[in-house]
Amino acid sequence: MRTDPMRNNPAMSRPPLYVTRPYLPPLEEFTPLLREIWDSRVLTNGGPFHQRLEAALAEYLGVPHVALFNNGTVALMVALQALQVQGEVITTPYTFVATPHALLWNKLTPVFVDIDPRTGNLDPALIEEAISERTAAILPVHCYGEPCDTAAIAEVARRRRLPVIYDAAHAFGVQRDGRSLLLEGDLSVLSFHATKTFHTFEGGAVVCHDAAMKRRIDDLKNFGFRNQITVIEAGLNGKMNEMQAAFGLLMLNHIDELRERRAAMVAQYDALLAGVPGIARLARDASARAANGYYPVLIEPGFGLHRDEVHRRLEAKGIFTRRYFYPLVSDMPMYRDLPSAHPLRLPRARALADSVLCLPLHAEPGDDAERVVNALRELAGVCA
Ligand SMILES: *Cc1c(COP(=O)(O)O)cnc(C)c1O
């Protein structure tokens, strides 16, 4: 548990504001679903709520198949297993640790490639340069839900005959021209962790294109059982349980409203930050229906304070921003000795990691965006 130095501080006029606040629907809406579980005594193993949520999510997201998991990290590990990837996998250093960790758990070697500084996503031109005879797959991340350059990645992958697995943990519900971003590549992996916009406390999913792949993934997440007595592979236990699935169905009733409210807070930030010098934003694809899961800003030299100082001083005001993603995963002890992790190879990812700050973003109405931007203005010495 984090300790919260602000909680009992009488000098604090307002409650602490965290980078996100998990949404919970009214408890009364959950209890009838719990009653159904109590009555049926089906608690897990692909029960009725699990089946209903898979169907409901496939429809909501506009994808053919959704395989539910107990979390996004295990979903990522199983996705790599399902495609029988062996060797090296090209990925981004600018991500959450679960992305490269899923590679290590599969005895795969990450090959880090630098990002496009405008979006924070893998630079497709550099992917091609990093491909060797040992390259077995490409694992890009739709960072903050911003779509990767999927057309360019698909072109490289097609030419070099490599599967593409998207870490789409931030990309729930993202569409371009009415088409789900989760249809890109061979597989896409979602996270339903409490900090994500659509959550099931913990949870995740793999999105796939055909029934045979869905079957394979379902076997792998259930110890490799094909039927009661036949085990076809060394699977693991990645199943989502019935309580999580029931909660997911309830969240789906609220998700559109949640997304609208987050979009409204993003619009508030956009307007309020327009006049603050030294604060920049990443590029956004205007044609995409956005995820709005994060509000990253870049603290540039013109702001007058280093990002770490801004982070610290906002904390003193009870505003808990996060340095997502700092440090780069390629700087962590289990990765930093890889040739591709050398700092000189990843200058853009490093620059972004050193300047980014994710501001509090949630789905509750109020003036929190104003509070954060006023605090930033004070730090910058700009009057409102
Ligand atoms: C949240 C997240 C994951 C892992 O999700 P869990 O459900 O917490 O295991 C993977 N990749 C990225 C980029 C994430 O943000």
Side-chain angles (χ1 to χ4, degrees):
M1 281 305 291
R2 72 183 317 152
T3 53
D4 179 357
M6 300 302 154
R7 185 141 289 161
N8 297 313
N9 183 346
M12 289 286 311
S13 53
R14 300 192 56 177
L17 181 53
Y18 296 109
V19 74
T20 192
R21 195 177 299 155
Y23 175 78
L24 287 171
L27 185 58
E28 312 81 77
E29 295 180 20
F30 194 36
T31 45
L33 305 181
L34 290 176
R35 171 63 59 198
E36 270 188 64
I37 295 173
W38 258 244
D39 289 344
S40 73
R41 302 251 169 171
V42 180
L43 309 189
T44 186
N45 287 5
F49 282 114
H50 185 282
Q51 290 171 33
R52 279 167 64 189
L53 183 59
E54 284 194 341
L57 276 175
E59 191 185 328
Y60 179 81
L61 296 169
V63 298
H65 299 282
V66 173
L68 294 173
F69 278 81
N70 51 4
N71 64 61
T73 306
V74 169
L76 211 44
M77 286 162 55
V78 167
L80 291 158
Q81 280 280 323
L83 293 174
Q84 292 175 298
V85 179
Q86 278 178 18
E88 294 180 354
V89 176
I90 291 175
T91 192
T92 171
Y94 191 76
T95 184
F96 182 59
V97 282
T99 316
H101 280 4
L103 297 174
L104 283 200
W105 275 84
N106 277 296
K107 300 206 161 31
L108 296 163
T109 306
V111 173
F112 297 111
V113 161
D114 210 358
I115 56 166
D116 178 336
R118 290 166 306 164
T119 61
N121 288 330
L122 269 185
D123 182 340
L126 299 176
I127 293 177
E128 182 115 45
E129 288 172 24
I131 294 174
S132 77
E133 68 282 359
R134 291 178 304 282
T135 307
I138 307 172
L139 174 59
V141 179
H142 300 297
C143 198
Y144 311 123
E146 179 65 22
C148 287
D149 186 346
T150 55
I153 292 172
E155 174 54 27
V156 179
R158 188 193 57 78
R159 236 181 306 113
R160 311 299 290 257
R161 294 173 196 272
L162 294 171
V164 181
I165 299 153
Y166 281 103
D167 180 337
H170 303 173
F172 185 90
V174 177
Q175 293 183 345
R176 283 177 305 193
D177 305 318
R179 180 185 147 90
S180 172
L181 183 62
L182 305 171
L183 294 169
E184 303 297 335
D186 294 85
L187 299 174
S188 287
V189 177
L190 291 165
S191 165
F192 305 148
H193 184 262
T195 52
K196 270 60 175 192
T197 304
F198 175 87
H199 77 91
T200 57
F201 286 50
E202 293 262 11
V206 179
V207 171
C208 66
H209 296 282
D210 63 82
M213 179 55 77
K214 161 86 162 96
R215 177 107 199 254
R216 188 171 158 68
I217 291 166
D218 284 345
D219 292 345
L220 281 168
K221 79 175 188 196
N222 187 32
F223 311 100
F225 277 113
R226 166 99 341 156
N227 59 43
Q228 280 190 6
I229 55 167
T230 315
V231 176
I232 55 161
E233 273 188 87
L236 44 61
N237 184 357
K239 302 186 302 293
M240 176 179 278
N241 70 44
E242 287 291 279
M243 264 207 293
Q244 291 169 293
F247 185 82
L249 277 175
L250 179 52
M251 278 294 284
L252 267 187
N253 294 341
H254 294 270
I255 191 69
D256 283 330
E257 195 194 342
L258 287 183
R259 295 179 62 179
E260 276 168 33
R261 292 210 232 136
R262 281 178 165 264
M265 190 162 171
V266 164
Q268 271 180 300
Y269 270 131
D270 287 351
L272 292 164
L273 283 169
V276 187
I279 293 194
R281 290 195 327 238
L282 290 166
R284 293 191 208 137
D285 181 342
S287 75
R289 187 174 82 160
N292 293 321
Y294 301 86
Y295 196 93
V297 294
L298 316 182
I299 308 294
E300 301 197 315
F303 189 79
L305 289 174
H306 185 264
R307 184 276 315 270
D308 291 342
E309 194 58 21
V310 177
H311 176 249
R312 203 181 59 73
R313 293 200 197 178
L314 286 176
E315 222 167 80
K317 293 172 184 281
I319 298 171
F320 294 82
T321 60
R322 290 297 289 270
R323 287 166 288 183
Y324 293 144
F325 289 101
Y326 169 87
L328 293 177
V329 294
S330 52
D331 284 340
M332 295 178 183
M334 60 300 281
Y335 302 109
R336 66 185 173 213
D337 293 331
L338 292 169
S340 67
H342 195 281
L344 291 177
R345 303 183 69 110
L346 306 167
R348 300 166 184 170
R350 184 164 312 275
L352 184 53
D354 285 343
S355 67
V356 74
L357 206 56
C358 282
L359 305 183
L361 182 62
H362 55 66
E364 285 163 40
D367 64 349
D368 282 342
E370 219 178 315
R371 176 178 167 198
V372 174
V373 176
N374 285 344
L376 282 167
R377 282 177 171 279
E378 273 171 41
L379 294 186
V382 188
C383 294

